[in-house]
Amino acid sequence: MTDETPSPASAGAVATARAVTKSYPGVRALHGADFEVRAGEVRALLGRNGAGKSTLIRLLCGVETPDDGTVEIGGEPLAAGGVRRATELGVGTVHQELSLVPQMSAAENLYLGAWPGTARGIDHAAMRAGAREAFADLGVTIDPDTPIGELPLAQQQLVEIARALRSRPRLLILDEPTSALAAGETDIVLAAVTRVAERGVGVVYVSHRLDEIRRVSDTVTVMRDGAVVETAPVRGATTAHIVSLMLGHEQDRAVQRTDNAVDRSGTPLLSVRDLSVPPKVESVSFELYPGEVLGLAGLMGAGRTEVLRALAGFTPADGAVAIAGTPVARRTPGAMKNLGVGITPEDRKSEGVVPLLGVSENMVMSWFGGASRAGTVLPSRVSALGRDLVDRFSIKTARSDTPIVNLSGGNQQKAVIGRWLHAQSRILLLDEPTRGVDVEAKAQIYRIVRDLADGGAAVVFVSSELEELPLVCDRVLSLRAGRIDGEFTGDDITLDTIMAAAMAV
């Protein structure tokens, strides 16, 4: 790979960023970054969380303006014109989270906010005809009258792409467009991206999946610590080199905690055999022993959350599960909770807490043992238990009856974990337990996890921040496309080995 130094006069450039810098309070997100995309080019954009990818995208689509440097679309300065100016100059963006209305039809979503009309109102016939044409341009057939919520995820993603293309942009930005898709669905989206580029549209394709990048991209830009470190052709780019660019000096840093001697000679506390959650997870098998923290590594969409939700009984799944050697015939949330399985969900705000209830109530709600008498929950006992749990987990709150929504993300997360310890769970399934929390809270959560393991509990630890896994895990399994394809123990649990496995073709 060779460095590319973009030129302001580059022929066919549809988007150019020159020496752009962007800072937020306490964070320098971009510094001196150069970036350029040409007509008909698919440019992959890679980097770890916090590398600056999202900030660069926000500058290109007009959501943010740079503190220094310039952004041009089609040779015209974007300046401070915002999203409207970017759209007028020809930028279309498809964000990672779908922005569709499930109850509306595919055609209505395609024309959302700009429905064709007549003197009598919305011209539904024109809208349907335009939708059929837009979907045909992507090489797919979607019934314009079908409610979006009834379409497969891949087709929902294509409706998003078609909506972004409706204004005939010269630049299309796709942020992790396949992260929630199964392998077969991904092929449909990649074919559409190739078709778009063949029409002369420049595409910025953000993804961590190198197999997709090799199939659809012409060039790749790698970012690290707010800077562009290299741009080069995809052909010949090895996984090892890309990982080394993403990690920089950190790949040489042997960040590992002291080895914990896990006794794996006895009966596993959790045994999983051929667990399958179609279409995302296929034949996952592993054992989890008392005192062990098992990391589950993988990129977004690899099937990590689906595995945890299936084990907690929230998602129907095929395969066999045993707790302490006893097979579990019926897996429901209540049955798994009674067997000692607790889960902290990925989406803490909507699934992990009841926002307006107090901290005490949130922490005892999974098990009212010790807080009730003769079947009646006693507020005084809830408060007393809550105060003890708040002290035990160092939760920062003036009062234990403070609504949990008023706490920081880190303190909310500690309360969710504490809830399952109060419920006497012996198997903890932690899905993104440090997402959205500060550095101090992260360190406290690591310590809580290790203390749980030292006390004989078993933990499955899922995190998109792969650098966390060497700090807290005794063993790490790599999950790709719904299958386990690697296992790391001891000195092999390093950031570069885990990331290389997660991104490998």
Side-chain angles (χ1 to χ4, degrees):
M1 296 175 87
T2 57
D3 290 337
E4 175 191 36
T5 303
S7 165
S10 295
V14 296
T16 304
R18 290 282 170 266
V20 289
T21 297
K22 184 67 180 179
S23 296
Y24 304 99
V27 179
R28 193 179 189 190
L30 287 176
H31 53 93
D34 290 325
F35 187 76
E36 182 179 274
V37 183
R38 298 178 177 86
E41 175 187 13
V42 179
R43 171 69 62 83
L45 184 59
L46 281 172
R48 294 167 54 193
N49 292 339
K53 306 187 303 297
S54 296
T55 303
L56 178 60
I57 287 173
R58 288 197 293 269
L59 297 184
L60 292 173
C61 65
V63 173
E64 304 269 12
T65 56
D67 299 331
D68 200 6
T70 60
V71 177
E72 294 182 354
I73 304 298
E76 296 289 331
L78 185 55
V83 176
R84 182 185 295 272
R85 171 69 170 166
T87 303
E88 291 172 350
L89 291 176
V91 180
T93 307
V94 176
H95 297 284
Q96 186 173 332
E97 300 295 332
L98 296 178
S99 57
L100 304 170
V101 181
Q103 295 79 13
M104 287 185 172
S105 70
E108 290 170 327
N109 272 277
L110 180 69
Y111 284 91
L112 196 63
W115 295 306
T118 66
R120 295 183 176 182
I122 296 175
D123 189 341
H124 291 280
M127 190 164 58
R128 291 189 191 97
R132 290 191 184 94
E133 182 180 353
F135 299 146
D137 280 347
L138 289 178
V140 296
T141 301
I142 298 175
D143 182 355
D145 293 321
T146 302
I148 278 290
E150 297 179 10
L151 291 175
L153 274 175
Q155 291 192 359
Q156 293 184 34
Q157 188 66 270
L158 289 169
V159 173
E160 282 270 23
I161 294 173
R163 187 168 69 185
L165 292 171
R166 197 168 57 80
S167 59
R168 302 296 178 188
R170 49 166 54 102
L171 174 68
L172 177 65
I173 300 172
L174 301 174
D175 190 359
E176 298 278 5
T178 62
S179 63
L181 305 184
E185 295 175 315
T186 295
D187 293 340
I188 299 171
V189 174
L190 294 184
V193 173
T194 299
R195 196 179 181 100
V196 168
E198 288 173 349
R199 288 175 11 205
V201 177
V203 179
V204 176
Y205 190 89
V206 181
S207 177
H208 286 98
R209 298 178 173 182
L210 283 186
D211 52 344
E212 292 180 15
I213 287 171
R214 295 188 199 284
R215 290 169 57 189
V216 78
S217 302
D218 303 298
T219 51
V220 57
T221 290
V222 179
M223 298 189 69
R224 185 178 70 242
D225 298 331
V228 172
V229 293
E230 190 167 307
T231 297
V234 167
R235 181 175 297 178
T238 66
T239 299
H241 184 57
I242 289 175
V243 170
S244 70
L245 291 173
M246 292 172 67
L247 298 182
H249 65 280
E250 291 196 25
Q251 67 172 336
D252 299 321
R253 204 188 303 166
V255 182
Q256 289 185 310
R257 53 168 212 86
T258 304
D259 285 341
N260 181 41
V262 176
D263 183 4
R264 299 189 179 93
S265 62
T267 302
L269 193 50
L270 173 66
S271 178
V272 181
R273 282 285 173 269
D274 296 321
L275 186 77
S276 295
V277 187
K280 298 298 289 292
V281 177
E282 184 176 355
S283 298
V284 166
S285 300
F286 63 88
E287 286 82 33
L288 181 66
Y289 290 84
E292 182 175 32
V293 180
L294 176 66
L296 202 55
L299 302 177
M300 188 175 296
R304 305 167 307 174
T305 294
E306 287 78 6
V307 169
L308 266 57
R309 290 183 63 84
L311 292 176
F314 288 100
T315 303
D318 299 324
V321 175
I323 305 291
T326 302
V328 181
R330 183 170 175 266
R331 295 193 295 273
T332 65
M336 299 309 287
K337 184 191 76 171
N338 291 337
L339 289 170
V341 178
I343 182 171
T344 65
E346 180 180 21
D347 189 345
R348 178 178 62 248
K349 289 185 178 179
S350 65
E351 298 180 346
V353 300
V354 181
L356 298 182
L357 287 184
V359 180
S360 295
E361 294 165 302
N362 270 276
M363 295 187 77
V364 304
M365 65 171 52
S366 291
W367 183 64
F368 286 106
S372 60
R373 182 173 60 191
T376 301
V377 177
L378 303 177
S380 60
R381 292 191 178 182
V382 170
S383 295
L385 283 170
R387 286 193 297 270
D388 290 342
L389 290 166
V390 164
D391 292 340
R392 178 180 174 187
F393 290 94
S394 302
I395 295 172
K396 294 180 180 179
T397 177
R399 296 168 54 94
S400 63
D401 60 356
T402 298
I404 199 168
V405 70
N406 294 339
L407 272 60
S408 69
N411 284 298
Q412 289 184 30
Q413 190 67 289
K414 287 188 286 183
V416 174
I417 297 173
R419 173 197 304 159
W420 292 111
L421 269 295
H422 169 69
Q424 302 180 350
S425 300
R426 51 183 176 164
I427 299 172
L428 273 296
L429 310 175
L430 307 183
D431 196 356
E432 302 285 3
T434 64
R435 174 175 289 174
V437 308
D438 59 34
V439 174
E440 180 184 7
K442 282 186 178 184
Q444 292 172 341
I445 290 171
Y446 300 155
R447 186 67 264 160
I448 289 171
V449 170
R450 287 312 320 173
D451 286 345
L452 292 175
D454 292 343
V459 180
V460 180
F461 191 98
V462 167
S463 176
S464 295
E465 298 183 36
L466 300 181
E467 58 267 34
E468 293 188 318
L469 301 181
L471 298 174
V472 73
C473 297
D474 304 298
R475 185 162 53 106
V476 174
L477 300 178
S478 173
L479 190 66
R480 288 189 69 253
R483 287 178 171 271
I484 291 175
D485 68 348
E487 179 176 347
F488 306 96
T489 58
D491 293 340
D492 291 332
I493 305 178
T494 60
L495 179 55
D496 55 336
T497 57
I498 294 171
M499 184 171 285
M503 297 179 64
V505 176

